[in-house]
Amino acid sequence: MEFKESRGSGPRGVSTAYPAPIPPKRSRLVVAVVGTLLFFVIFFSTPAAEEVEHAAKTAAHHIPGRNKIPSLSRFHNPFRQAFHEPPAQRNSSSGDTKWYSDFKWLNPFSSSITLDDTRSVLPPLQKRPPIYTFYDTGTHKDPIVQEEENKLLLIWRRAWWAQGFRPIILGKAEALKNPHYETFMRIQDKIPFSAEMMRWLAWGHMGSGILANWLVLPMGPRDNHDLKYLRRGEYPKDEEGVDKIKRYETFANGIFWGSQAAIDHAIVAVLNEERLEDRRTFLEAVGDGRVFAVEAKPSGVAFYEPNVLSALYKPIADKLADVKADGLKLLSDLITSHLHSTFLSTFPDGLNVLTTRPHETTLLAAPGAILAGALNTCPTSPMPQSCPPNNPKCRPCGSIKVNYPSSITNDTTTFTIGTIPHPYTLAVLLKGKNDLDLPFVRRKTERDPWLDKATEESLPFGLSGYNRIVSFKESIVSDAGQARGVWHTAERDWIWDDLEWRFGFILPGHNATSAIEMPRPSSENYPEVLSPLLNSMHKEPSRREILLQSDLVRDSKQALKRDKGKGKPDLRRVVEAWHLADTEAWRFVRAFEARARMERAQWDEEEKKFLGNAEDVRHR
C-alpha cells in the first residue's frame, strides 16, 4: 500500500495533524522577564559576578570530571565601568598577612573595600607622639654603671612605647645641631647647669614633643587622663595665643612638653639672661611665668628622682650612694615591680582567658592560661610592699583571680586574653577529625560559631554576623579595647618579647625570645599549665582527648600553610566562605597583630644605632 503526503504538510517527518505546540503568551512573558533580570544581574551588578564565579568554583571542586569554570570577569562588559584594585600601601604586609589602612575599617567585610579576599582593612595607624630623653654616652663612666643605666633606659623605652608613645633617646650629637649651640659655647663658662642646657639644645633641635628624664615613667592605666592628654600631642598656649611649655608642679625638671616655638623661646631667654652665673637651674634662668604653664601633680606619671628615693626608698638611695651599679640594679627591679603591680591593680576582678568552647578547644586556651600565669606572678623586688611615688595608697603586687569565660564581658575591671582560631581549625576540633568535607561544613556546622559565642554576653541576642563583626573590631582597636585586652590567632605562637612591649614591663620567669607554645599532654608542665583551666570546667576532657586536639591543631596549621588550589579540593576556602564573619574576625586580628609587630621592629631598627637593639641591651 502506498501512502501519499497530504497537501499542506510540513517538513518531512512532521505531520500537520500534530503541529509543534506554540508556547502560550504567559510563558513567553515569563521567559522574557527572566532573561531581562539575568541580563541586568550579570552586566549591572558590582562584584556580584566575582562572587558568583567564586561560589561556582568552590562547588565545582566537588563535581567529578568537572571542567574549568570560566571567569565571568573575563567577559567584556560594555555597560559597567572598569575598576582598579586599590594600590598596595608601603609596609602593608608581613609574610602572608596583608592589610590596608583606611578610615572605612568599620565596614563589616574588608573585601568590599580592598577587592582582595586576603587583605584586611585596619584603621589608620595612630600617630605616636615623640617623647625624648637625654643621655650623654660620651662621658666616661664605669662600664658596669653604664650597663645598668642602659637597662634603665630600656625600661623607660618599653614603658612609654606600651602607652602609645614613640620614645627617642637624644645625645650630644643632637645638641651640636641646634643653631643656638655656638652661642651656648661662647658663654658656657658662665652657666652652672651646662649639662641641663645640652639637654634643652638637643630637644630644641628635634622640635615639638615631650622631654622627660629617663627616671620618669608612665605609672597608670592606658586610659589615665594624664597619659591620654600627653598622647594627644596638643601643646599649650596662653590666653593671648602665645606658645607655652607645660610642666608638673612637683617634678622640677622631670618632664616638659611644648611646641618648637616655645622651646626656642625658652632657650633664647636663658642665653639672654644677664646673670646666668647666679642661676642654679634652667628653670631659674628662664623664669616660670614667662615660658611655663604649671600643672598639678599627675596621677599617671612617676618620677624616681633622688629626693623621692631618699624619702620613700631609702635602702635603694643608700645603695646608690655606696655602690652605684648595685643601686641602679635595685632601682630597675623596683620600677619593674611597680609597673607590674600598677597593671594588676587596674583590674581588681581579674584576668579573663576567653574560652568559647572549653571542652572541644581546651588547648587553644592554653597559651592564654600561660600568659595569665605570668601576669599573675609578682616579679622580684627589693621592697615588695612599696608603692609607686604617684600612688602611695596602692595595693602592693599580689595575685588576682583568673577567669575562663566563654564570652567577652562588657566591664572595665577585667583584662581579656583572647585567642581566635581560624574557622578551619575550629571546624576540625568540633568534628574531632581532620577529614572535613563539604556536606559536613554545610549541614553539620553553624554559621560563624566562634563570633556568635564570643559576643553572646556583650551583644544582644539575634544580631547578625554583620553587626557582630563591627562591634568586635571596635572592641579590639579602640583605646579602651587596647587598654583592657590582648588578642592573637591560635595558629601563631605568642613571643614573650612582643608581649613585654605590649604590657610595658618584663614578664618574670621566661626567655624573651622564646614563644608560648601549646603544651603537649606528654610534657612535664602539662598538668601545671592546664590544671587551672581544667578545674574551671564542668566536664574535664581526658588526656586522650587533649592529645587528639594537639594533633588536630598541628594538622590544621599545616593545612593552612599549603598553597591554595593544589592537591585535593581547597576546603579552607569552603570553610571561609561558609563562616564569613569568623574569617573576617580572624584575618582582622592577625593583620592588627602583624602591623603592631612591624611598627615596633621598624622603630627598633631606627633607634638601635643610637643605643643598641633592645634585645642586645637586655642580654648584655
Side-chain angles (χ1 to χ4, degrees):
M1 176 181 284
E2 183 178 349
F3 293 94
K4 295 183 179 179
E5 189 175 44
S6 61
R7 186 185 301 175
S9 65
R12 177 171 295 184
V14 180
S15 171
T16 55
Y18 301 97
I22 300 175
K25 291 184 178 181
R26 182 190 299 176
S27 300
R28 281 180 286 174
L29 179 61
V30 170
V31 170
V33 170
V34 171
T36 303
L37 287 175
L38 286 174
F39 176 81
F40 277 96
V41 166
I42 292 174
F43 291 106
F44 290 96
S45 59
T46 50
E50 288 78 3
E51 292 174 9
V52 170
E53 173 192 347
H54 170 69
K57 284 184 175 180
T58 301
H61 275 302
H62 306 278
I63 301 175
R66 65 186 184 275
N67 294 318
K68 184 177 180 181
I69 301 296
S71 174
L72 297 180
S73 58
R74 293 178 187 169
F75 293 115
H76 174 65
N77 184 351
F79 302 101
R80 188 174 61 189
Q81 185 177 0
F83 62 86
H84 295 284
E85 293 185 5
Q89 298 168 330
R90 288 187 60 193
N91 302 322
S92 63
S93 64
S94 176
D96 61 348
T97 305
K98 299 184 292 183
W99 58 87
Y100 181 77
S101 299
D102 193 90
F103 286 103
K104 300 176 184 176
W105 62 276
L106 277 178
N107 192 293
F109 295 105
S110 298
S111 59
S112 63
I113 304 298
T114 64
L115 306 178
D116 180 354
D117 287 342
T118 63
R119 190 178 296 274
S120 296
V121 179
L122 299 179
L125 194 62
Q126 289 186 349
K127 185 177 179 180
R128 291 174 173 266
I131 180 167
Y132 305 103
T133 196
F134 184 83
Y135 182 75
D136 190 0
T137 56
T139 57
H140 297 289
K141 295 182 180 179
D142 184 326
I144 301 177
V145 170
Q146 186 163 350
E147 181 179 342
E148 294 301 329
E149 288 181 346
N150 283 340
K151 290 180 179 178
L152 274 168
L153 285 167
L154 177 57
I155 291 173
W156 180 85
R157 294 168 72 196
R158 188 192 294 114
W160 282 106
W161 179 269
Q163 292 286 356
F165 296 84
R166 186 179 181 87
I168 299 172
I169 297 174
L170 307 179
K172 185 177 180 180
E174 285 81 14
L176 292 174
K177 293 290 185 180
N178 193 299
H180 300 296
Y181 181 76
E182 291 185 7
T183 305
F184 162 70
M185 289 299 294
R186 287 196 296 268
I187 60 174
Q188 183 180 9
D189 295 339
K190 297 181 181 180
I191 304 178
F193 49 91
S194 58
E196 190 177 353
M197 193 69 201
M198 289 288 287
R199 178 187 179 215
W200 276 81
L201 289 170
W203 185 28
H205 166 68
M206 299 304 295
S208 304
I210 306 168
L211 178 66
N213 187 293
W214 42 276
L215 293 178
V216 172
L217 282 298
M219 201 66 66
R222 188 183 177 91
D223 53 2
N224 173 271
H225 62 89
D226 293 312
L227 297 176
K228 287 173 68 176
Y229 174 72
L230 290 173
R231 203 158 45 235
R232 284 199 294 268
E234 297 176 355
Y235 306 119
K237 296 178 182 289
D238 63 15
E239 295 177 354
E240 298 177 357
V242 178
D243 288 347
K244 293 280 189 177
I245 296 175
K246 273 200 174 182
R247 69 180 187 88
Y248 289 125
E249 183 178 10
T250 56
F251 274 36
N253 65 348
I255 185 169
F256 306 92
W257 62 99
S259 66
Q260 174 77 70
I263 299 167
D264 285 343
H265 179 55
I267 292 173
V268 170
V270 170
L271 295 177
N272 291 335
E273 174 63 32
E274 295 180 357
R275 301 178 59 184
L276 270 178
E277 62 276 7
D278 297 333
R279 309 303 182 192
R280 294 172 299 171
T281 66
F282 188 95
L283 288 179
E284 279 189 25
V286 75
D288 245 3
R290 291 187 294 169
V291 173
F292 295 103
V294 182
E295 288 264 327
K297 182 179 178 179
S299 62
V301 184
F303 187 15
Y304 291 82
E305 50 106 0
N307 292 334
V308 169
L309 294 178
S310 298
L312 302 178
Y313 316 106
K314 195 171 186 307
I316 296 176
D318 293 342
K319 182 61 71 173
L320 281 167
D322 184 20
V323 182
K324 188 173 183 180
D326 292 347
L328 290 172
K329 172 66 170 63
L330 294 178
L331 182 57
S332 295
D333 292 342
L334 179 76
I335 292 174
T336 298
S337 70
H338 286 172
L339 289 167
H340 198 140
S341 63
T342 298
F343 169 81
L344 291 178
S345 64
T346 306
F347 306 103
D349 290 336
L351 308 170
N352 286 351
V353 180
L354 188 63
T355 315
T356 54
R357 296 172 184 267
H359 192 274
E360 298 92 343
T361 63
T362 309
L363 269 188
L364 297 186
I370 295 171
L371 174 57
L375 288 170
N376 223 5
T377 302
C378 294
T380 302
S381 172
M383 302 178 68
Q385 299 302 311
S386 65
C387 289
N390 62 311
N391 185 17
K393 296 182 180 180
C394 77
R395 187 184 71 177
C397 187
S399 297
I400 59 177
K401 186 179 179 183
V402 178
N403 313 297
Y404 296 91
S406 61
S407 179
I408 302 169
T409 57
N410 266 338
D411 60 64
T412 60
T413 56
T414 58
F415 185 86
T416 299
I417 301 173
T419 301
I420 177 170
H422 187 277
Y424 184 92
T425 303
L426 184 59
V428 297
L429 286 172
L430 293 179
K431 187 177 183 182
K433 298 178 181 179
N434 60 3
D435 59 345
L436 292 183
D437 52 32
L438 183 61
F440 175 81
V441 174
R442 177 63 182 83
R443 300 170 187 167
K444 301 293 185 181
T445 62
E446 301 173 0
R447 303 293 288 268
D448 306 316
W450 187 89
L451 190 61
D452 278 351
K453 192 67 176 175
T455 58
E456 189 176 49
E457 293 184 17
S458 57
L459 295 176
F461 175 77
L463 282 183
S464 68
Y466 291 84
N467 295 312
R468 291 181 184 276
I469 190 61
V470 171
S471 178
F472 176 74
K473 289 180 178 181
E474 201 165 17
S475 70
I476 290 177
V477 304
S478 65
D479 247 8
Q482 293 187 63
R484 294 193 286 273
V486 61
W487 290 84
H488 88 129
T489 56
E491 292 73 23
R492 185 188 184 277
D493 294 333
W494 259 323
I495 305 298
W496 285 108
D497 185 58
D498 293 338
L499 290 167
E500 290 177 352
W501 285 85
R502 167 66 178 78
F503 289 104
F505 50 84
I506 294 174
L507 293 167
H510 301 282
N511 181 0
T513 58
S514 63
I516 304 180
E517 298 178 349
M518 293 183 185
R520 294 278 297 174
S522 57
S523 63
E524 295 181 0
N525 67 338
Y526 164 76
E528 177 186 352
V529 170
L530 287 183
S531 58
L533 173 59
L534 297 176
N535 293 337
S536 69
M537 297 168 57
H538 296 296
K539 183 182 178 182
E540 183 177 326
S542 65
R543 185 173 287 248
R544 182 178 178 182
E545 289 174 314
I546 297 293
L547 182 60
L548 175 61
Q549 290 182 25
S550 178
D551 293 338
L552 292 174
V553 171
R554 181 198 61 216
D555 294 344
S556 175
K557 288 181 179 181
Q558 294 301 319
L560 294 175
K561 290 179 182 177
R562 285 198 292 266
D563 292 338
K564 296 180 179 180
K566 293 184 179 181
K568 62 181 183 180
D570 189 3
L571 283 169
R572 168 181 176 166
R573 297 196 68 182
V574 173
V575 173
E576 289 177 348
W578 185 244
H579 304 294
L580 286 175
D582 275 6
T583 302
E584 178 74 14
W586 181 83
R587 285 177 177 156
F588 187 85
V589 170
R590 182 181 64 159
F592 188 69
E593 188 184 26
R595 188 178 70 172
R597 290 194 304 271
M598 175 178 283
E599 181 192 17
R600 186 173 71 83
Q602 290 174 344
W603 164 79
D604 200 40
E605 184 67 24
E606 293 170 6
E607 291 298 307
K608 73 178 183 181
K609 58 187 175 185
F610 301 107
L611 190 65
N613 185 278
E615 183 180 329
D616 297 337
V617 173
R618 174 171 175 165
H619 292 97
R620 280 175 188 164

